[in-house]
């Protein structure tokens, strides 16, 4: 079920109001490493191959700048740019050399709803990639709210070559590689960021992360539990600026034999919100945070 154009999710970039606080939280508590920096931007890596998973930019308020995907080829950048225009999007930056420290080539587009996607190819990757307990390896997925999930799904399928993995009553899960989903769109009355998930090595690391976050005054807002679509274990938190972040593990791996399910395939008994039946529903604070972080305005 892999996309012919996109290899996977590389990173996400945020504007944050306090870069020093961001560095302390995402290194000491969330367990990422600083891999590069400028006076106004911080680049943070996991233990996997990606140069960075987060780019954090000093700004007045929290916002999401872009979601970064990695292309399978240089030619895919031109294909994506051309198809984005056909599908009602905008090309904010034509294929060119990237100015980010990870290098490579990139194209930047916006979908019709104003979400910004940076697609890179030939970016620097780490040779010392590893899997370490209690530390994020890579991004697992990003979930975006949508006031029109069908349109958002169609744009991703047409422009990026994603395919539908599963459709529940409230969410469309989209696949580009062997992970069950890399991007998902949640039914909403807004187009905010829902959350970003970081892949951990195992369930034990997801749970230890929950304890570490609680010690740092960031309680588990949803979890522990195991999702239906994707089969992944989870703990959700609210970061220091209001961003929703997730530790996850054991994401289901799928191939062309996987049958996409519909809402009738993903139902829970009354009172349950996960496979195990032990998780409480998402907190009120989490639900509010999941609709409060928006993309920066599109220029051009």
């Amino acid at each position: 079920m892999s996309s012919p154009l996109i290899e996977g999710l590389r990173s996400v970039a945020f504007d944050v109001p306090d870069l020093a606080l961001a560095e302390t939280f995402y290194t000491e508590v969330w367990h990422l490493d600083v891999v590069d920096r400028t006076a106004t931007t911080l680049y943070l890596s996991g233990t996997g191959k990606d140069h960075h998973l987060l780019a954090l930019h000093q700004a007045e308020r929290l916002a999401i700048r872009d979601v970064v995907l990695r292309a399978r080829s240089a030619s895919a950048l031109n294909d994506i740019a051309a198809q984005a225009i056909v599908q009602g999007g905008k090309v904010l930056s034509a294929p060119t050399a990237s100015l980010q420290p990870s290098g490579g080539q990139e194209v930047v587009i916006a979908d019709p709803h104003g979400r910004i996607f940076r697609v890179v190819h030939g970016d620097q990757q780490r040779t010392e990639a590893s899997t370490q307990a209690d530390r994020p390896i890579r991004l697992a997925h990003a979930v975006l709210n949508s006031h029109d999930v069908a349109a958002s799904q169609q744009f991703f399928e047409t422009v990026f070559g994603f395919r539908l993995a599963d459709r529940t009553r409230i969410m469309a899960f989209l696949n580009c590689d062997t992970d069950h989903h890399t991007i998902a769109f949640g039914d909403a009355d807004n187009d905010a960021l829902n959350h970003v998930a970081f892949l951990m090595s195992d369930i034990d690391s997801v749970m230890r992360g929950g304890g570490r976050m609680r010690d740092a005054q960031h309680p588990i807002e949803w979890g522990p539990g195991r999702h239906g679509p994707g089969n992944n274990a989870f703990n959700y938190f609210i970061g220091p600026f209001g961003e929703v972040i997730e530790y996850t593990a054991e994401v289901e791996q799928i191939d062309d034999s996987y049958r996409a399910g519909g809402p009738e395939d993903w139902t829970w008994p009354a009172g349950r919100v996960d496979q195990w039946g032990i998780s409480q529903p998402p907190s009120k604070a989490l639900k509010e945070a999941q609709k409060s972080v928006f993309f920066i305005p599109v220029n051009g």
Side-chain angles (χ1 to χ4, degrees):
M1 297 180 72
S2 62
S3 163
L5 301 173
I6 298 297
E7 177 183 314
L9 175 63
R10 203 280 302 274
S11 59
V12 172
F14 285 103
D15 280 348
V16 296
D18 188 332
L19 207 56
L21 174 60
E23 179 172 356
T24 298
F25 172 80
Y26 278 107
T27 57
E28 297 181 9
V29 182
W30 200 248
H31 279 189
L32 299 178
D33 289 324
V34 176
V35 67
D36 213 324
R37 69 168 76 231
T38 70
T40 58
T41 306
L42 192 66
Y43 298 90
L44 296 147
S45 68
T47 67
K49 68 179 183 178
D50 298 310
H51 176 272
H52 63 276
L53 310 183
L54 283 183
L56 303 175
H57 300 257
Q58 181 70 53
E60 291 186 5
R61 60 182 62 87
L62 175 67
I64 181 168
R65 293 175 70 95
D66 51 51
V67 173
V68 184
L69 305 170
R70 179 178 288 116
R72 295 189 183 276
S73 66
S75 63
L77 302 182
N78 291 304
D79 295 340
I80 288 167
Q83 194 59 233
I85 295 173
V86 172
Q87 297 301 319
K90 295 181 178 180
V91 176
L92 306 183
S93 176
T96 188
S98 175
L99 298 179
Q100 296 193 349
S102 49
Q105 302 287 311
E106 68 177 23
V107 63
V108 185
I109 69 168
D111 74 4
H113 299 155
R115 304 182 191 90
I116 302 172
F117 300 96
R118 187 180 303 269
V119 186
V120 301
H121 180 263
D123 57 315
Q124 183 183 146
Q125 297 186 41
R126 293 151 51 94
T127 58
E128 69 276 19
S130 64
T131 298
Q132 299 177 29
D134 204 20
R135 298 192 60 203
I137 303 166
R138 59 176 173 86
L139 294 188
H141 56 261
V143 175
L144 309 170
N145 294 346
S146 178
H147 73 275
D148 188 342
V149 168
S152 299
Q153 176 184 333
Q154 193 270 341
F155 185 87
F156 250 72
E157 290 174 339
T158 305
V159 175
F160 298 122
F162 278 60
R163 300 183 186 180
L164 181 70
D166 277 297
R167 182 65 163 103
T168 68
R169 181 179 56 84
I170 61 171
M171 197 164 289
F173 297 85
L174 302 181
N175 164 272
C176 73
D177 57 8
T178 59
D179 282 1
H180 175 271
H181 59 281
T182 296
I183 297 290
F185 288 101
D187 292 274
D189 60 0
N190 61 79
D191 298 316
L193 171 71
N194 187 285
H195 70 273
V196 178
F198 294 73
L199 182 69
M200 301 291 267
S201 58
D202 50 33
I203 294 178
D204 193 58
S205 295
V206 172
M207 299 303 290
R208 289 185 183 278
R212 190 173 60 256
M213 286 288 284
R214 186 176 65 176
D215 290 345
Q217 309 305 310
H218 293 275
I220 297 173
E221 302 289 349
W222 185 22
R226 184 180 287 279
H227 286 307
N231 197 44
N232 47 311
F234 64 86
N235 274 327
Y236 287 77
F237 313 89
I238 300 174
F241 310 107
E243 69 276 24
V244 178
I245 45 181
E246 174 192 1
Y247 278 144
T248 193
E250 298 188 353
V251 177
E252 184 176 7
Q253 300 297 290
I254 64 175
D255 58 23
D256 288 339
S257 67
Y258 186 84
R259 181 186 69 85
E264 67 280 359
D265 297 305
W266 300 108
T267 59
W268 304 118
R272 290 196 171 197
V273 292
D274 77 305
Q275 288 197 51
W276 292 333
I278 62 172
S279 178
Q280 295 297 311
S283 70
K284 181 179 179 181
L286 187 79
K287 291 181 178 180
E288 289 301 312
Q290 286 177 318
K291 56 184 180 181
S292 66
V293 182
F294 291 88
F295 281 82
I296 61 174
V298 172
N299 295 318

